Amino acid sequence: MPELPEVETTRRGILPYLQGRKILKVVVREPRLRWEVPANLASELARQTVTAVERRGKYLLLKTRKGTVLIHLGMSGSLRLAVVGEPLKKHDHVDFILASGRCLRYHDPRRFGCILWLTDAPSKHPLLAELGPEPLSREFTGEYLLARAEGRTTPVKALIMDSQVVVGVGNIYANEALFAAGIDPACKAGKLTLERCDALVREIKTVLDRAITVGGTTLRDFVGGDGKPGYFAQTLQVYGRGGQPCVACMTPLKETRQGQRTTVYCPRCQT
Ligand SMILES: [Zn+2]
């Protein structure tokens, strides 16, 4: 599933081909995504120039003077830059054809993603209005996290994965950040001290920053080639390593499951 670093890498990858460029037309081959692609998207976007390519949480925003295209990649979505006329692959549902001869192609086998057209301020849209701060922003601090944790009995892992608290901390990154901060994922949020909130915020920023940096090395993949987006293998300390020795103390890592989500932690290093 594309997480914040993959979405940010996608944004950086497509930005130079979209910003200031004119969209000639939009071809919607399959409108049935998580929500139906609006019927007027093609007519509204035709001949519009993309003024900015932004990201909010895991949503991409292609801005024009007339409105904003909001894109979410869902579980299996990806965007790549094709050349006009390039043969279609199965599940290539939408093309944004640019005057430059390039084409931004949306691919989504499971169709849990979405492409919507907003004419009001994106921040007011119901999907974005309730979102917490960006994890890499100055707004996201230990003090902020402490205030949001106060009095809550939810496990700290659930707290940091709550997009109303902070956006974009997916399961892999939550596991990694909690390990790096030495915090038991099941620790009740309300018991966190400022010192521990500071450490956790610092590690969340570090793990996401690192993933974005690694993603940057895959940028070339956005253009041509197999067009696979930057889902990058990075060195993970706990995620996917249940039962294996902790990198710090050699204690076997514990793995638990809640629904689809796996939690991996070191019972000795994380308290
Ligand atoms: Zn350990």
Side-chain angles (χ1 to χ4, degrees):
M1 171 157 47
E3 298 283 356
L4 184 143
E6 286 87 357
V7 178
E8 177 60 19
T9 301
T10 298
R11 187 189 75 80
R12 294 181 188 184
I14 65 177
L15 177 71
Y17 301 92
L18 287 175
Q19 193 158 33
R21 305 300 173 101
K22 191 185 261 188
I23 295 173
L24 275 187
K25 63 173 182 173
V26 179
V27 179
V28 180
R29 280 176 291 271
E30 172 57 270
R32 292 169 304 166
L33 302 182
R34 180 167 183 184
W35 298 289
E36 187 139 335
V37 178
N40 64 346
L41 181 77
S43 58
E44 291 293 312
L45 262 183
R47 291 172 303 281
Q48 290 297 305
T49 297
V50 177
T51 54
V53 181
E54 296 175 359
R55 179 187 58 74
R56 180 73 177 101
K58 299 203 313 188
Y59 296 92
L60 283 167
L61 303 168
L62 310 185
K63 297 196 162 176
T64 73
R65 286 174 67 185
K66 216 171 166 189
T68 301
V69 186
L70 177 149
I71 302 175
H72 194 281
L73 302 175
M75 304 285 286
S76 58
S78 60
L79 285 166
R80 69 194 167 91
L81 281 146
V83 176
V84 171
E86 197 175 307
L88 288 168
K89 291 178 184 159
K90 202 176 174 189
H91 312 300
D92 280 346
H93 301 314
V94 179
D95 278 355
F96 301 86
I97 296 168
L98 302 161
S100 64
R102 296 266 188 195
C103 161
L104 182 68
R105 193 160 270 183
Y106 180 82
H107 176 91
D108 190 356
R110 296 178 67 181
R111 291 194 275 115
F112 283 121
C114 69
I115 300 177
L116 299 175
W117 173 246
L118 320 182
T119 48
D120 286 335
S123 61
K124 290 185 181 149
H125 191 273
L127 288 170
L128 305 185
E130 304 295 320
L131 294 181
E134 289 289 325
L136 297 172
S137 71
R138 283 185 174 182
E139 229 182 301
F140 184 55
T141 62
E143 279 178 12
Y144 165 83
L145 188 63
L146 183 69
R148 297 302 302 262
E150 215 156 35
R152 292 183 65 171
T153 55
T154 44
V156 58
K157 183 167 177 245
L159 181 82
I160 60 173
M161 290 184 68
D162 178 350
S163 63
Q164 293 192 16
V165 173
V166 57
V167 296
V169 183
N171 192 42
I172 295 174
Y173 302 112
N175 276 294
E176 294 296 314
L178 285 162
F179 174 75
I183 298 172
D184 179 352
C187 171
K188 289 193 172 81
K191 291 196 167 169
L192 291 172
T193 59
L194 177 59
E195 195 185 3
R196 302 197 95 192
C197 285
D198 279 339
L200 185 52
V201 164
R202 190 170 61 237
E203 297 303 341
I204 289 171
K205 289 177 191 278
T206 302
V207 72
L208 291 173
D209 255 337
R210 197 186 302 140
I212 292 168
T213 305
V214 173
T217 64
T218 66
L219 281 183
R220 58 191 159 74
D221 295 341
F222 283 92
V223 191
D226 67 352
K228 275 264 165 72
Y231 303 141
F232 18 89
Q234 53 170 326
T235 317
L236 300 174
Q237 313 248 276
V238 287
Y239 189 82
R241 295 193 65 243
Q244 295 179 43
C246 168
V247 293
C249 76
M250 301 298 279
T251 302
L253 297 175
K254 281 204 170 170
E255 183 167 321
T256 59
R257 222 161 220 289
Q258 287 146 315
Q260 302 276 60
R261 281 183 184 144
T262 307
T263 297
V264 188
Y265 66 101
C266 173
R268 190 162 160 202
C269 295
Q270 292 175 259
T271 57

